[in-house]
Amino acid sequence: MEQKSKFDKVMGAWDILVIAFGAMIGWGWVINSGDWITTAGFMGSMIAMLIGGLMVFFVGLTYAELTSAMPQCGGEHVFSYRAMGPTGSFVCTWMIILGYVATAAFEATALPTVITYLFPDFNQVYLYTIAGKDIYLTTVLLGVGFAVLITFINIRGAKAAAILQTVLTAIISIAGILLVVGSAVNGDSSNITGQMWESGSGSTLGSVFKVACMTPFLFIGFDVIPQAAEEINVPYKKIGKIMLLSIVLAVAWYLLIIFAVCYIMPQSAIAQEMSSQNGLVSAKAIEIAFRSPLMGKVLIIGGLCGIITSWNSFLMGGSRALYSMGESLMIPKKFGELGKHKTPTAAIILCGIACVAAPFFGRGVLVWLVDAASFGCVIAYMFVSISFCILRKKKPEMARPYKVKAGKFVGFMAVLMAGFMVLLYIVPASFSAALVWQEWIVVGIWLALGVFFYFYSKKKYGTEFGRDIFIVEDGGKSEEQEVTVLPNAKYPNRHFVITVGCEYGSGGPQIAKMVADKLGIEYYNRDLVDKVVAQIGVDKGLVEEADTKKGVRYAFDTSYGVRYANLSNRVIDAQFQAINNFANKSSCVIVGRSSDYILRNRNDVLNVFIYAPQEDEIAEVMKEKGLKNMHKAKEEWESVDKAQHARHEYITGKKRGDRHTRSMLIDSSILGWDETADVIIDMIDRKFQQEDAMQLKKEA
């Protein structure tokens, strides 16, 4: 189902960089640095971060290419849909939503915890205890209050959320830079040499992997960019580069934090701080570096901002993923609608409700959610990596403004490393992060909800379940697209496209071929089928039938079997790309396929519609098909014409012969095919003459 984007493009390059980077640096570097160092030592922690960063970078390369090729709200949902169909897309998107929503909910409990570091007496009015953690009224009220505030900001618009992100990321960066600079000035290299390696889990390698398992949670955030792709006002090629830059910056950030802590604090000091009540090694390091307890408060404030940046990003990502599923009718369609601020209000409110509920359960329960969230994200990463490989094979002609070099190697490494991370969460081992039984219950409940919505939506929406929504912003080329314009014989200095729509039996394709031959330009008709076959890798007979057959169910057609589900939409999608490529390459004549609509925003297009009296068209069908029986010829004519009308109306929302979408309508029976072709060429001559006259007048 093709449609124009409903979102406003309000975010620039800086906005999306801080959204991704702010989400990735978050709060983990403040509370977890001591855990990394005491588990694997200085060098082990550095290697673990590089392993995790390398995995995420390979996955990020696949995201970068796919986002530039399909810049559509939903990110993972769209990528996996085009590669695997509705079921694969449902699983992938459902798991990434677990990652986003659970992480956002965790931040609602983490924020009050940070406040208690700043104000030790903040916890007041004991309520109850869950999973060994006491719940207080003050922490609940604070968490709920911030959840409502951040939800409101996101409802107001992506730009408002991006502004908040920019301010808070700047504060985090200042706090981190102060730690690194202070440690570099007042630290001692002997502190590092005394804690190069640790083997708390039994072996050095095991310790490194133990820390590496923590990294997916740290690097979640770059994937928010494709979720909000329709709201980004940046060239598609640049979006991919910004995504990769955010990953590189995040990896560099964590490496610098590990260096700073180890350079200023010896092993004994780190161990002593870890045994204290707070265990905030990073905060203690900056206190030592500047010889001031006040600086520890400054760093904690930076961490506090990190909680909000992560919260803000994941609320944005989770709501867009829910929106994409709602738009495809995989969950109730209410979630696929935008509010008055052009944001997915219902989806944002649902994520906000999860965040409002979180403080009532406390950190003990939410730790289980975070581990389940990390598992959900690596599952989604694996699906996206597999989708990258599938689309490289199935759609080699797909426009990819940012195309990764050595695609097979990148795809293989992304699948391998993401798959390895998935195994570390499943298989118990001394160095793994295998989920505990409480976390498996969380995952199980989430999967059960997914199964419920899957079958509920299939029953409620029927063949519309999992409908393919693909966004076409305009009919022209993007600024990143390279175009090779080939000259034409009659007008070597002109570039133009003639689209020819026609009724069956009116001679439209034959007349279009005459026009192309007389002008010395390219002609495209059945070539489009070959192009689609090459692009989506499906048998030519199936493509031709999906391209023309009567009564096709465009939303979710399983008449060819599960492998070819939604084949008609895949054919339409591929034809959109092929038609734009043909129009950009050289002057040409394109027959049918709603090409007038696809190229509607170009100013170098002449749209022609050819028709004839019904009896003449039926007579031509008899001649073309070698039919002797007029009744059979009429049935053939009605069948084809009806299918063509249905297809055009499905794609464009308009009737095929609507005069408002055509430059000229002409009855081919009046002058005959050859002279009809001459009339079309005469129209082109007059159009160019008029343009030249207007240009001369303007220059005068």
Side-chain angles (χ1 to χ4, degrees), residues 22 110 123 162 269 350 394 479 493 519 524 598 674:
N123 290 336
L350 182 62
K394 284 173 53 178
E479 62 183 273
N493 298 319
L519 293 174
Y524 298 111
I598 296 168
D674 194 66

Side-chain angles (χ1 to χ4, degrees), residues 2-240:
E2 185 272 345
Q3 64 182 33
K4 292 184 69 176
S5 177
K6 300 174 185 176
F7 290 91
D8 289 334
K9 289 185 174 294
V10 295
M11 293 192 290
W14 179 257
D15 295 324
I16 59 176
L17 178 62
V18 295
I19 284 172
F21 180 62
M24 285 189 281
I25 60 176
W27 163 243
W29 61 281
V30 177
I31 61 172
N32 291 329
S33 57
D35 290 327
W36 307 332
I37 296 165
T38 55
T39 299
F42 168 76
M43 187 58 69
S45 298
M46 299 284 272
I47 292 173
M49 287 298 156
L50 289 173
I51 291 172
L54 188 64
M55 184 276 289
V56 173
F57 189 78
F58 274 114
V59 173
L61 284 170
T62 68
Y63 269 86
E65 178 172 304
L66 294 173
T67 302
S68 74
M70 293 168 279
Q72 188 171 331
C73 179
E76 293 90 347
H77 171 79
V78 180
F79 309 154
S80 54
Y81 188 103
R82 301 290 163 78
M84 304 177 184
T87 300
S89 177
F90 188 100
V91 174
C92 178
T93 314
W94 194 246
M95 294 308 288
I96 200 72
I97 290 172
L98 170 63
Y100 289 145
V101 176
T103 306
F106 173 78
E107 308 299 0
T109 63
L111 187 139
T113 303
V114 176
I115 295 297
T116 61
Y117 291 133
L118 295 172
F119 305 101
D121 297 326
F122 180 77
N123 290 336
Q124 298 293 326
V125 188
Y126 169 81
L127 298 177
Y128 45 82
T129 299
I130 294 182
K133 300 293 182 181
D134 295 337
I135 311 298
Y136 294 89
L137 178 63
T138 49
T139 59
V140 169
L141 292 176
L142 181 66
V144 169
F146 265 89
V148 172
L149 176 62
I150 292 176
T151 301
F152 174 75
I153 290 172
N154 274 269
I155 289 174
R156 293 288 298 177
K159 188 64 177 179
I163 292 172
L164 172 67
Q165 195 82 353
T166 299
V167 173
L168 297 178
T169 302
I171 296 173
I172 302 169
S173 300
I174 291 170
I177 290 169
L178 285 173
L179 170 61
V180 173
V181 171
S183 299
V185 171
N186 296 316
D188 190 328
S189 59
S190 63
N191 291 331
I192 290 178
T193 56
Q195 52 186 331
M196 288 293 287
W197 302 96
E198 293 288 344
S199 55
S201 64
S203 68
T204 300
L205 182 62
S207 298
V208 171
F209 277 118
K210 187 72 175 179
V211 176
C213 286
M214 304 177 191
T215 59
F217 177 71
L218 300 176
F219 294 124
I220 298 171
F222 73 91
D223 40 305
V224 173
I225 293 178
Q227 291 292 343
E230 289 179 49
E231 299 163 89
I232 299 172
N233 189 25
V234 174
Y236 300 150
K237 185 175 183 178
K238 193 173 181 180
I239 292 175

Side-chain angles (χ1 to χ4, degrees), residues 309 409 587:
T309 58
F409 173 74
S587 294

Side-chain angles (χ1 to χ4, degrees), residues 632-694:
K632 287 191 175 295
K634 186 176 181 180
E635 285 183 346
E636 166 76 10
W637 175 83
E638 287 177 343
S639 175
V640 173
D641 213 51
K642 184 176 181 180
Q644 289 178 348
H645 275 294
R647 183 186 186 84
H648 186 80
E649 189 169 6
Y650 169 75
I651 294 172
T652 70
K654 299 180 182 295
K655 299 296 183 183
R656 197 154 52 101
D658 187 346
R659 67 181 185 278
H660 297 102
T661 65
R662 310 287 180 173
S663 308
M664 63 185 297
L665 290 84
I666 187 166
D667 182 347
S668 61
S669 70
I670 297 175
L671 300 175
W673 294 358
D674 194 66
E675 289 194 39
T676 298
D678 290 338
V679 170
I680 295 171
I681 293 171
D682 183 60
M683 181 70 165
I684 296 169
D685 290 336
R686 291 175 181 272
K687 183 177 187 292
F688 288 158
Q689 289 171 11
Q690 186 181 48
E691 289 176 357
D692 291 341
M694 291 178 66

Side-chain angles (χ1 to χ4, degrees), residues 429-505:
S430 61
F431 58 84
S432 74
L435 302 182
V436 298
W437 66 268
Q438 296 96 331
E439 293 159 354
W440 278 118
I441 289 176
V442 172
V443 173
I445 292 172
W446 186 253
L447 292 176
L449 280 173
V451 170
F452 168 77
F453 278 116
Y454 181 86
F455 287 104
Y456 167 82
S457 299
K458 288 198 77 169
K459 183 177 180 180
K460 182 177 178 63
Y461 300 116
T463 58
E464 283 287 286
F465 171 85
R467 62 185 182 182
D468 188 8
I469 306 293
F470 54 96
I471 300 299
V472 175
E473 296 182 19
D474 56 60
K477 62 181 184 295
S478 74
E479 62 183 273
E480 296 293 335
Q481 186 175 2
E482 295 183 4
V483 177
T484 304
V485 178
L486 302 179
N488 58 79
K490 187 172 182 180
Y491 304 106
N493 298 319
R494 301 275 191 176
H495 182 271
F496 58 93
V497 180
I498 303 167
T499 71
V500 178
C502 57
E503 291 182 350
Y504 184 40

